[in-house]
Amino acid sequence: MLLAIDIYRNHKQTIDTLFEKTSMLYNPLQFESGYQFEFMMKYKNTINYIFKHGQNILSYSFEQFMDQQFEEEVLYHAHPTVPNLLPPEWQPISHIQLREPNYWLGRGLIVWFEKANDSRLRLIAEVGPLEYDGRLWLIEQLEKIGLALRGNSKLEKARYTRFFSQKIDVNKWDDMDELTQAMADLYNSPEFTLLRKQVAAILNNENPVAEDVNKPMEDSPLHEAKIQVQNAFIKWMESKKIPESHYRVSSRNLSFKIPLFDAFKEKLGETREKWWWDNGPFLFWMNFNQDSLYFTLEIGPIKADKRVLLMEKVKEKGIKFSKKGLALEAKFNRIYSETISIKGLTESEILNVLDALYENRELQIILEKLQMIYDETVSKLE
């Protein structure tokens, strides 16, 4: 299945086309002779398998999350778009009968992950269609711990009530490790960790805890360093007047784009496969840890003919990149990178580092040359 994901994300357009054509082969009237027809007939099942399973990265990331997160047996379903589970501490919910037995996992509480409209990963917790007396009791207990629920959630006809929602940035939606980490970050966030314990206490007829149960994690040097870098980056984005829709912050990466990149995207189109969160020709991104920042300007996998044209113009302007960048099959080329130490720095000092990285004269010359390429060539493309 992991191989299917790799093949699909690296050859999405080809697999989609082959799948569409093989789907027609079930029609007896669609008979042709020749190598292409024979190839599709021979590998029809393989193509269908790759098409079906190659798109299920959210499902497989969720299974990886489950393997890493839990040692005990947990009730879950690795659904391709809304993978879901019942946190093990919420198992006592089974004592309250469901009105609709087919609800999710057959219990009155559910937690699921989904890709939100803003391309962030979202975790949602919901109370389902329990028998009315039990449902009303649970809703009232949730209100007592400070949750603001919809006014109609107490009505007898009410069926579904979401009582928690939290989102996190995801840079690369085709990176299973990043999705797995994002799920773990949401599930183990201080807010949801506390809520899980509070709901468990309610279900066990105990007094819900009020303190921040995840405080030790928050006080760890690694966690503090990560938050410091993320906060500094967000403040830096604000200082550059870059809107939230133009940058992303995840547990491992920072990324952003500038208006020039959008201008290129309008003329050159989106990438031929999912690339980061914007699918545009250019992106700034950074890997970071508590000791260093790795800053990169990269060209992504736009359509081959337009990409070769762009890379030829980039080469003419004297911007250095790998020789393979001019090949039709080339996908990614870093045209600028820099690593800098942030060990022991304060948030304000990290802000200065980000400024220094971006204002570096070599990078600014590259951006000036990209602007020239756009003005002289790309802007005139139909």
Side-chain angles (χ1 to χ4, degrees):
M1 290 183 182
L2 298 182
L3 179 59
I5 290 174
D6 286 337
I7 293 173
Y8 184 79
R9 71 185 182 189
N10 290 328
H11 307 281
K12 180 181 183 301
Q13 189 173 358
T14 301
I15 297 299
D16 287 348
T17 301
L18 287 171
F19 176 76
E20 183 179 352
K21 289 185 176 181
T22 55
S23 298
M24 298 171 62
L25 297 181
Y26 291 100
N27 186 338
L29 297 178
Q30 296 292 330
F31 181 83
E32 303 174 20
S33 60
Y35 172 76
Q36 186 182 46
F37 176 79
E38 293 173 0
F39 171 86
M40 288 190 294
M41 285 296 292
K42 183 176 180 179
Y43 295 106
K44 179 172 60 179
N45 292 337
T46 303
I47 293 167
N48 291 348
Y49 180 89
I50 294 171
F51 180 82
K52 177 183 177 182
H53 294 284
Q55 301 178 75
N56 289 349
I57 191 167
L58 194 61
S59 171
Y60 300 132
S61 300
F62 178 74
E63 289 183 339
Q64 186 168 275
F65 158 75
M66 295 297 296
D67 288 342
Q68 294 176 4
Q69 181 71 37
F70 304 104
E71 294 182 0
E72 70 270 47
E73 188 173 336
V74 179
L75 194 61
Y76 75 94
H77 177 210
H79 190 277
T81 57
V82 283
N84 53 84
L85 77 150
L86 178 69
E89 56 263 60
W90 292 0
Q91 280 290 352
I93 191 64
S94 59
H95 298 315
I96 304 177
Q97 191 172 351
L98 269 173
R99 294 198 310 247
E100 300 173 19
N102 293 328
Y103 173 76
W104 290 87
L105 296 170
R107 302 292 189 273
L109 289 171
I110 194 66
V111 171
W112 77 86
F113 296 99
E114 66 181 17
K115 184 177 183 180
N117 291 334
D118 58 5
S119 291
R120 289 170 167 86
L121 182 70
R122 175 162 51 198
L123 178 150
I124 294 173
E126 182 179 83
V127 179
L130 295 160
E131 290 292 346
Y132 180 61
D133 288 345
R135 191 178 194 282
L136 180 61
W137 170 81
L138 181 55
I139 293 292
E140 289 176 342
Q141 297 305 309
L142 293 175
E143 287 181 330
K144 286 180 181 179
I145 62 173
L147 297 181
L149 306 179
R150 296 198 315 265
N152 61 3
S153 62
K154 295 182 181 180
L155 298 178
E156 189 165 358
K157 65 180 180 180
R159 299 164 68 196
Y160 317 116
T161 301
R162 296 185 183 185
F163 60 93
F164 182 84
S165 178
Q166 191 174 39
K167 294 192 287 187
I168 192 170
D169 286 307
V170 170
N171 286 312
K172 295 184 177 181
W173 274 93
D174 63 351
D175 186 329
M176 191 179 327
D177 290 335
E178 180 168 352
L179 282 172
T180 300
Q181 183 61 52
M183 290 177 184
D185 288 347
L186 283 172
Y187 191 82
N188 296 311
S189 70
E191 298 84 358
F192 191 60
T193 299
L194 176 60
L195 181 64
R196 289 204 321 273
K197 290 186 174 289
Q198 289 175 322
V199 173
I202 290 170
L203 295 174
N204 289 307
N205 295 310
E206 300 169 356
N207 290 324
V209 292
E211 71 275 10
D212 191 339
V213 296
N214 219 28
K215 195 67 175 176
M217 186 199 78
E218 281 192 300
D219 287 341
S220 71
L222 179 60
H223 181 77
E224 288 182 356
K226 181 177 77 171
I227 296 300
Q228 186 171 259
V229 172
Q230 291 171 331
N231 288 342
F233 176 76
I234 291 170
K235 289 179 180 178
W236 186 61
M237 289 287 95
E238 292 171 350
S239 73
K240 295 293 183 183
K241 294 183 170 49
I242 295 179
E244 286 187 22
S245 60
H246 284 50
Y247 68 85
R248 290 289 187 275
V249 178
S250 77
S251 59
R252 297 190 301 168
N253 304 111
L254 310 167
S255 55
F256 68 101
K257 62 179 181 176
I258 57 177
L260 177 61
F261 296 175
D262 282 337
F264 271 99
K265 183 178 179 180
E266 187 175 342
K267 289 293 185 180
L268 299 178
E270 292 195 346
T271 50
R272 58 185 186 266
E273 61 182 64
K274 293 294 183 182
W275 188 60
W276 290 84
W277 45 272
D278 184 58
N279 301 319
F282 295 93
L283 194 73
F284 287 113
W285 59 266
M286 291 176 255
N287 283 336
F288 72 94
N289 54 44
Q290 62 188 116
D291 295 329
S292 61
L293 274 173
Y294 177 65
F295 181 85
T296 299
L297 171 57
E298 190 168 58
I299 299 176
I302 54 176
K303 290 183 179 180
D305 55 340
K306 292 182 178 180
R307 194 179 197 281
V308 171
L309 171 64
L310 174 61
M311 298 311 295
E312 286 174 346
K313 297 302 177 183
V314 168
K315 183 180 179 181
E316 287 175 10
K317 293 296 183 184
I319 301 173
K320 296 180 180 179
F321 57 87
S322 167
K323 292 180 180 178
K324 296 179 181 179
L326 289 170
L328 279 171
E329 65 272 15
K331 293 182 179 180
F332 319 109
N333 282 99
R334 297 176 187 183
I335 57 175
Y336 179 82
S337 63
E338 180 71 28
T339 301
I340 193 164
S341 173
I342 56 171
K343 188 174 183 179
L345 298 187
T346 64
E347 189 175 296
S348 60
E349 289 172 332
I350 294 173
L351 270 167
N352 293 334
V353 166
L354 292 169
D355 257 332
L357 281 169
Y358 187 73
E359 299 301 333
N360 178 280
R361 185 58 188 154
E362 181 184 349
L363 175 61
Q364 289 303 311
I365 289 174
I366 289 174
L367 293 178
E368 289 170 5
K369 290 179 177 178
L370 292 180
Q371 183 68 63
M372 293 169 62
I373 291 170
Y374 178 80
D375 293 340
E376 295 170 1
T377 305
V378 176
S379 65
K380 299 173 183 177
L381 295 175
E382 294 298 328

